[in-house]
């Protein structure tokens, strides 16, 4: 390779040389030559060749101590987006491997986002989305280096562009750097952003700072000399820095706390860097011997580090002229971490100080980042830094670039309703990243979602209630049915009530039934029976609550003489009759009869049952409230065929007998969902007697017959299955004709 070709990266190469980390120089040179070729002919607005930008970004990446792949990705980070006619991700992947491609893709996807006029919660979503989208923390590091260089060269851009970029830097990137403990980058981003957002304020504060330092030039120098002498006498190895406040930190104090420049208390500061933690406390003692301390200003961030890993001792003392100043005392390792945050870890890990107690330091990161695969090799260690912070949220864009946070698993319908109720109600379709997608699809982080609406849309469908994930969407859909579908709701509600009357064997005419419902509706403060039917129809009224009230009303005012009651109830001398247990059931008054369990309702121990004498098949045992029983009961001829039945097996707890029960499980389509369900059932030692599945749009219905011990056992099975991921609904199948 000719030296001439590599001239523009000499600086990068020398930065690599002076870092004591091992880099794959051949790979880095290859990445440079490739990027140089791609960007050939492109100029930055400053007039420099474009390649100067990726090189500068790569240099920052080296200074963070990142690995070869990160440096290569930094060099290549703009090629895919800026030179689509020449290259693409696949080409990058083939030439430089998966990781480099992943990083380039990550940096490319984090396109500039408009944060102007956005509310704070919205901006927080943007920050979260950046982290969530990045998948690997190195993507964020490269992006921060990219942003740092863009800010350094922002002066060449037009005014409007400057403002947007500076706002985004201040609201998104600086706080991200802060969260990751990367103080040095954070401060640079804040200061450069401030310069563009409030140039006058910036100049004023900077002028004041320079002025004050100018006037009191001797003040901090004197203190430094004084402290140096003391530390030398105590035989302590130290580094001193006298001027540590940034323009932005002073500016923020003045504006947030509404203080004048002269009121900034800890304007002067001295930073003392020593070798050991013990020396930190020794130096603190020395400082307090030399100067009077200001009460309440001592902070021990060594024993209690800040959430972003920052460690240091802080104290404020009064100097000779009565001027207060802050003293920060820390070890060089703490200092390094204060400046580089998370990135400091692998720098140490790969450098000489491999003995650093990483585990302890990683404590806070482990909450932030998945560090399960802890490894001793620094590069493997890097790989463990996969971002999985916001695993319960998905962040998607609107076509206008707003970021919407949705609970994980939300569908496009949820998205539509989260935009606006009207958008949801008029939704007829949706696009993900410009392509039509089924409305029950789940968008992924960073997807651009567009809802297609139509004014002639018929409104939401009842199925949507089973598809949506958020209660917000569900409520809005119910609301719609309440308003728009009154006639339909009334019909649905009336049918339900009719069925209930039959099932409960509440014998009355249609008119009487209407009277009962009206009476209950009035008691509930409604105008008439239709209001009640409507409430049941759209799901706003609890069915069980109504059922009890209707039964009550019926029992008190409409109940007829229980002609058939005597037949069902055991005769008083039933106890004298022989009781015979048949397959877990005792049937009074009938001897030696074979019983079978009705397939329509599959009664379980613990549930009320009743026997029905069949023609030729012995006694079939039904649930007392089985719909088939109510209809059989309606026929006068059947009156004598009912017999009392009760369980003769444990109705709760352990039991050796098992009974069949039919359930229906509604699930979203996922390859291994059936396996998950079978495993759960196997773990509970539940046999699957039969199973069949049916696909409906975007979901599946699984019909199963399982064997269980009793209703208590059955309920525990149901709740376990209900908790399996992607299971939408589990219900017991009752009353189906067989
Ligand atoms: Mn760039």
């Amino acid at each position: 390779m000719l030296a001439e070709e590599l001239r523009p990266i000499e600086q990068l190469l020398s930065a690599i040389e002076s870092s004591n980390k091992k880099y794959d120089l051949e790979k880095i040179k290859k990445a440079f030559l490739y990027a140089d070729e791609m960007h050939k002919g492109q100029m930055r607005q400053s007039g420099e060749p474009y390649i100067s930008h990726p090189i500068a970004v790569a240099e920052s990446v080296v200074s963070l101590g990142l690995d070869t792949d990160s440096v290569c990705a930094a060099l290549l980070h703009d090629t895919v987006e800026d030179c689509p006619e020449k290259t693409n991700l696949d080409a990058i992947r083939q030439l430089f491997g998966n990781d480099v491609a992943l990083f380039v893709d990550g940096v490319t996807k984090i396109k500039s986002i408009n944060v102007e006029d956005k509310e704070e919660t919205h901006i927080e979503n943007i920050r979260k989305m950046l982290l969530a989208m990045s998948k690997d923390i190195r993507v964020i590091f490269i992006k921060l280096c990219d942003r740092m260089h863009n800010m350094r060269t922002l002066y060449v851009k037009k005014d409007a562009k400057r403002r947007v970029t500076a706002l985004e830097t201040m609201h998104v990137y600086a706080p991200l750097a802060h969260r990751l403990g990367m103080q040095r980058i954070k401060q640079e981003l804040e200061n450069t952003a401030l310069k563009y957002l409030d140039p006058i304020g910036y100049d004023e504060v900077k002028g004041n700072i320079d002025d004050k330092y100018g006037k009191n030039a001797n003040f901090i120098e004197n203190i430094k000399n004084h402290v140096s002498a003391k530390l030398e006498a105590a035989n302590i190895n130290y580094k001193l820095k006298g001027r540590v406040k940034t323009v932005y930190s002073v500016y923020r104090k003045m504006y947030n706390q509404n203080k004048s420049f002269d009121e900034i208390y800890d304007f002067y500061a001295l930073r003392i860097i020593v070798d050991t933690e013990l020396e930190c406390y020794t130096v603190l003692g020395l400082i307090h011997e030399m100067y009077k301390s200001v009460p309440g200003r001592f902070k021990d961030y060594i024993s209690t580090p800040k959430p972003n890993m920052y460690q240091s001792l802080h104290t404020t003392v009064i100097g000779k002229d009565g001027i207060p100043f802050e003293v920060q005392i820390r070890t060089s390792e703490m200092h390094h971490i204060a400046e580089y945050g998370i990135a400091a870890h692998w720098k140490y890990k790969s450098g000489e100080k491999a003995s650093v107690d990483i585990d302890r330091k990683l404590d806070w990161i482990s909450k932030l980042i998945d560090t399960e695969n802890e490894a001793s090799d620094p590069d493997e260690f890097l790989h463990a830094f996969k971002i999985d912070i916001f695993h319960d949220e998905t962040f998607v864009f609107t076509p206008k670039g707003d970021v919407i946070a949705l609970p994980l698993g939300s569908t496009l319908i949820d998205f539509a309703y989260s935009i606006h109720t009207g958008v949801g109600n008029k939704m007829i379709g949706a696009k993900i990243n410009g392509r039509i997608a089924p409305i029950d699809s789940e968008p992924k982080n960073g997807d651009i979602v567009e809802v297609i609406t139509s004014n002639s849309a018929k409104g939401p469908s009842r199925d949507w209630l089973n598809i949506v994930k958020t209660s917000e969407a569900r409520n809005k859909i119910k609301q719609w049915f309440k308003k728009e579908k009154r006639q339909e709701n009334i019909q649905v509600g009336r049918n339900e009530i009719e069925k209930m009357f039959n099932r409960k064997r509440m014998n009355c005419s249609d008119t009487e039934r209407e009277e009962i419902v009206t009476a209950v509706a009035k008691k509930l403060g409604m105008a008439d029976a239709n209001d009640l039917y409507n409430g049941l129809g759209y799901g706003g009224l609890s069915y069980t609550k109504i059922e009890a009230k209707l039964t009550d009303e019926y029992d008190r005012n409409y109940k007829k003489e229980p002609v058939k009651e005597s037949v069902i109830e055991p005769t008083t001398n039933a106890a004298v009759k022989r009781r015979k247990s048949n397959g877990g059931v005792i049937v009074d008054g009938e001897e030696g009869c074979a019983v079978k369990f009705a397939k329509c309702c599959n009664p379980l121990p613990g549930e009320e049952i009743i026997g029905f004498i069949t023609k030729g098949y012995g006694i079939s045992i039904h649930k007392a409230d089985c719909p088939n029983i109510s209809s059989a009961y309606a026929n006068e001829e059947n009156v004598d065929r009912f017999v009392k039945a009760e369980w003769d097996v444990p109705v709760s707890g352990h039991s050796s007998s098992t009974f069949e029960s039919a359930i229906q499980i509604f699930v979203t389509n996922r390859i291994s969902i059936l396996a998950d369900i079978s495993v759960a059932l196997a773990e509970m030692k539940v046999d699957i007697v039969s199973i069949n599945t049916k696909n409906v749009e975007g979901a599946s219905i699984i019909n199963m017959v399982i064997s269980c011990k009793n209703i208590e056992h059955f309920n525990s099975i149901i709740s376990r299955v209900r908790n399996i991921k992607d299971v939408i609904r589990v219900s017991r199948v009752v009353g189906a004709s067989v």
Side-chain angles (χ1 to χ4, degrees):
M1 213 169 282
L2 292 169
E4 185 60 21
E5 280 178 304
L6 288 171
R7 199 179 42 80
I9 55 156
E10 268 163 11
Q11 221 175 319
L12 174 63
L13 294 178
S14 73
I16 288 174
E17 227 163 87
S18 55
S19 78
N20 50 11
K21 210 180 141 105
K22 279 209 177 75
Y23 281 98
D24 179 348
L25 282 180
E26 282 313 305
K27 189 168 182 180
I28 291 172
K29 284 175 189 169
K30 183 174 143 193
F32 161 73
L33 288 174
Y34 189 77
D36 195 32
E37 179 63 30
M38 292 302 118
H39 291 299
K40 190 162 263 169
Q42 291 177 357
M43 291 291 164
R44 300 204 91 210
Q45 259 157 309
S46 61
E48 283 177 282
Y50 194 89
I51 191 72
S52 63
H53 166 66
I55 289 175
V57 176
E59 270 174 53
S60 299
V61 166
V62 170
S63 77
L64 282 179
L66 299 189
D67 57 350
T68 297
D69 282 347
S70 307
V71 178
C72 291
L75 287 167
L76 298 162
H77 80 271
D78 278 332
T79 55
V80 172
E81 196 181 2
D82 291 357
C83 324
E85 69 291 343
K86 295 190 198 164
T87 186
N88 55 40
L89 269 185
D90 286 334
I92 302 278
R93 189 174 297 114
Q94 271 180 14
L95 286 164
F96 301 99
N98 270 333
D99 275 6
V100 175
L102 175 85
F103 301 163
V104 171
D105 187 37
V107 175
T108 307
K109 272 189 184 145
I110 308 173
K111 299 229 180 73
S112 90
I113 304 152
N114 186 4
V115 298
E116 223 168 352
D117 311 320
K118 296 277 194 311
E119 289 163 18
E120 177 53 32
T121 51
H122 194 89
I123 293 171
E124 175 63 16
N125 278 346
I126 296 175
R127 288 180 209 132
K128 285 179 173 179
M129 185 185 69
L130 287 191
L131 285 173
M133 272 174 72
S134 298
K135 296 199 183 87
D136 190 299
I137 193 84
R138 284 170 288 182
V139 172
I140 291 286
F141 292 156
I142 298 167
K143 185 67 202 175
L144 287 171
C145 294
D146 179 36
R147 181 46 62 111
M148 213 156 50
H149 189 249
N150 286 338
M151 289 305 292
R152 285 176 193 169
T153 53
L154 194 60
Y155 59 91
V156 299
K157 298 276 181 192
K158 291 200 182 75
D159 272 0
K161 174 74 185 159
R162 283 183 195 174
R163 192 185 146 70
V164 170
T165 309
L167 254 182
E168 196 181 278
T169 302
M170 189 65 101
H171 290 317
V172 178
Y173 292 101
L176 266 185
H178 175 68
R179 235 174 250 194
L180 299 172
M182 305 167 86
Q183 217 53 23
R184 181 173 280 199
I185 291 181
K186 174 208 159 197
Q187 287 176 351
E188 177 172 344
L189 291 177
E190 282 172 348
N191 280 318
T192 45
L194 180 64
K195 219 187 297 188
Y196 293 101
L197 291 173
D198 183 0
I200 296 169
Y202 180 88
D203 287 343
E204 192 188 312
V205 172
K206 187 166 186 319
N208 276 330
I209 293 176
D210 291 345
D211 204 35
K212 195 155 182 173
Y213 272 117
K215 273 188 202 147
N216 295 302
N218 291 331
F219 171 72
I220 209 83
E221 274 314 304
N222 285 342
I223 288 170
K224 275 168 87 174
N225 292 336
H226 198 187
V227 170
S228 298
K230 191 85 174 177
L231 294 178
E232 267 155 34
N235 238 334
I236 290 168
N237 198 14
Y238 67 93
K239 265 183 231 138
L240 268 186
K241 198 181 173 208
R243 185 177 171 162
V244 295
K245 289 282 160 186
T246 66
V247 175
Y248 179 73
S249 70
V250 175
Y251 177 95
R252 203 192 47 194
K253 268 212 165 112
M254 284 172 64
Y255 287 83
N256 282 3
Q257 303 174 8
N258 203 14
K259 285 179 172 169
S260 77
F261 185 75
D262 293 324
E263 287 172 293
I264 301 294
Y265 198 47
D266 49 3
F267 174 73
Y268 290 106
L270 187 68
R271 184 176 294 146
I272 306 171
I273 295 166
V274 294
D275 291 337
T276 67
E277 198 174 300
L278 185 66
E279 282 171 344
C280 292
Y281 291 95
T282 311
V283 171
L284 179 75
L286 293 174
I287 295 292
H288 283 173
E289 259 173 42
M290 296 165 73
Y291 304 98
K292 192 175 172 317
S293 65
V294 178
R297 298 280 306 174
F298 170 64
K299 289 183 196 93
D300 183 352
Y301 295 121
I302 291 181
S303 61
T304 317
K306 284 191 185 181
N308 67 3
M309 225 161 42
Y310 177 84
Q311 283 189 298
S312 198
L313 296 177
H314 287 191
T315 185
T316 303
V317 295
I318 313 264
K320 287 238 161 56
D321 314 313
I323 302 174
F325 64 98
E326 188 185 67
V327 183
Q328 304 175 350
I329 308 161
R330 55 179 87 144
T331 66
S332 46
E333 185 200 323
M334 292 172 193
H335 181 59
H336 193 82
I337 288 166
E339 301 227 304
Y340 294 100
I342 291 186
H345 283 292
W346 43 89
K347 196 155 189 179
Y348 267 115
K349 197 88 185 177
S350 57
E352 295 151 10
K353 303 212 175 189
S355 64
V356 171
D357 182 1
I358 296 277
D359 288 350
R360 186 171 55 86
K361 299 271 176 34
L362 284 181
D363 219 31
W364 73 275
I365 306 180
S366 65
K367 285 179 201 128
L368 202 66
I369 289 162
D370 177 21
T371 49
E372 264 174 35
N373 320 312
E374 201 204 312
S376 51
D377 175 65
D379 285 324
E380 261 179 62
F381 179 70
L382 266 172
H383 285 282
F385 275 95
K386 299 289 183 234
I387 298 184
D388 186 21
I389 314 170
F390 307 106
H391 41 74
D392 51 359
E393 277 178 295
T394 307
F395 303 91
V396 298
F397 287 110
T398 67
K400 280 184 192 156
D402 285 348
V403 177
I404 304 287
L406 298 164
L408 193 71
S410 290
T411 64
L412 297 179
I413 306 175
D414 293 284
F415 173 84
Y417 278 100
S418 80
I419 300 290
H420 191 268
T421 311
V423 174
N425 288 341
K426 286 181 186 162
M427 180 182 202
I428 52 164
K431 288 179 181 174
I432 296 180
N433 300 326
R435 286 198 185 154
I436 296 278
I439 55 172
D440 59 354
S441 331
E442 297 174 14
K444 290 190 293 294
N445 275 321
D447 279 348
I448 301 169
V449 179
E450 187 184 343
V451 178
I452 306 165
T453 58
S454 159
N455 281 329
S456 54
K458 279 184 273 153
S461 120
R462 280 184 201 273
D463 300 341
W464 291 13
L465 288 169
N466 299 322
I467 297 169
V468 294
K469 194 87 173 184
T470 58
S471 50
E472 186 195 359
R474 190 168 293 118
N475 288 338
K476 285 176 173 175
I477 296 168
K478 279 186 189 167
Q479 223 35 48
W480 187 87
F481 278 109
K482 180 184 178 183
K483 266 202 217 134
E484 306 288 325
K485 292 278 171 167
R486 190 173 158 91
Q487 282 319 310
E488 197 182 308
N489 292 333
I490 290 174
Q491 201 47 51
V492 170
R494 181 178 279 124
N495 288 345
E496 284 302 308
I497 296 279
E498 265 185 53
K499 272 193 221 156
M500 187 213 113
F501 270 67
N502 286 338
R503 194 172 62 242
K504 303 212 71 158
R505 280 167 263 154
M506 299 188 337
N507 246 336
C508 55
S509 67
D510 287 358
T511 327
E512 283 170 334
R513 192 182 61 235
E514 206 68 17
E515 279 169 23
I516 295 171
V517 176
T518 307
V520 169
K522 293 231 156 100
K523 274 184 195 156
L524 289 168
M526 297 177 204
D528 55 23
N530 282 349
D531 277 2
L532 192 145
Y533 292 139
N534 183 37
L536 289 173
Y538 78 82
L541 270 181
S542 143
Y543 194 78
T544 29
K545 201 172 131 192
I546 299 299
E547 183 171 311
K549 289 197 160 49
L550 291 171
T551 321
D552 188 49
E553 180 67 23
Y554 170 82
D555 284 350
R556 280 195 290 119
N557 301 323
Y558 295 86
K559 198 170 185 174
K560 309 205 171 68
E561 270 315 295
V563 205
K564 300 148 189 171
E565 208 80 347
S566 57
V567 187
I568 302 163
E569 290 302 324
T571 45
T572 39
N573 60 352
V576 190
K577 290 193 175 181
R578 214 168 323 144
R579 293 159 61 100
K580 169 129 181 132
S581 176
N582 283 294
V585 174
I586 295 170
V587 180
D588 271 329
E590 292 296 328
E591 196 179 329
C593 283
V595 298
K596 62 171 190 138
F597 292 100
K599 288 268 183 269
C600 55
C601 55
N602 290 304
L604 293 172
E607 295 183 299
E608 245 185 87
I609 45 174
I610 191 159
F612 182 75
I613 304 164
T614 63
K615 292 173 179 157
Y617 295 101
I619 296 169
S620 78
I621 304 295
H622 290 257
K623 283 177 68 177
D625 60 2
C626 173
N628 290 350
I629 284 291
S630 349
S631 46
Y633 202 80
N635 187 341
E636 290 277 337
E637 286 174 31
N638 290 333
V639 163
D640 293 327
R641 300 172 64 186
F642 288 95
V643 285
K644 187 179 160 72
E646 57 190 279
W647 294 102
D648 191 33
V649 292
V651 293
S652 69
H654 180 75
S655 168
S656 52
S657 330
T658 58
F659 299 84
E660 288 178 9
S661 190
I663 57 173
Q664 186 171 76
I665 311 171
F666 197 73
V667 298
T668 52
N669 281 335
R670 173 161 64 83
I671 308 265
S672 55
I673 180 95
L674 205 51
D676 290 0
I677 294 170
S678 327
V679 167
L681 293 175
E683 279 172 359
M684 297 185 83
K685 303 212 176 354
V686 174
D687 286 337
I688 299 171
V689 180
S690 73
I691 182 166
N692 72 70
T693 65
K694 187 167 77 187
N695 285 333
V696 290
E697 223 180 28
S700 297
I701 294 170
I702 303 171
N703 284 306
M704 251 187 206
V705 176
I706 53 169
S707 69
C708 54
K709 300 181 192 311
N710 47 48
I711 186 71
E712 192 188 57
H713 185 215
F714 176 80
N715 287 337
S716 71
I717 296 167
I718 294 294
S719 65
R720 169 86 183 259
V721 172
R722 212 167 259 154
N723 283 328
I724 295 171
K725 185 176 178 291
D726 294 328
V727 167
I728 300 165
R729 194 155 34 92
V730 185
S731 49
R732 181 168 177 192
V733 182
V734 174
S737 49
V738 179

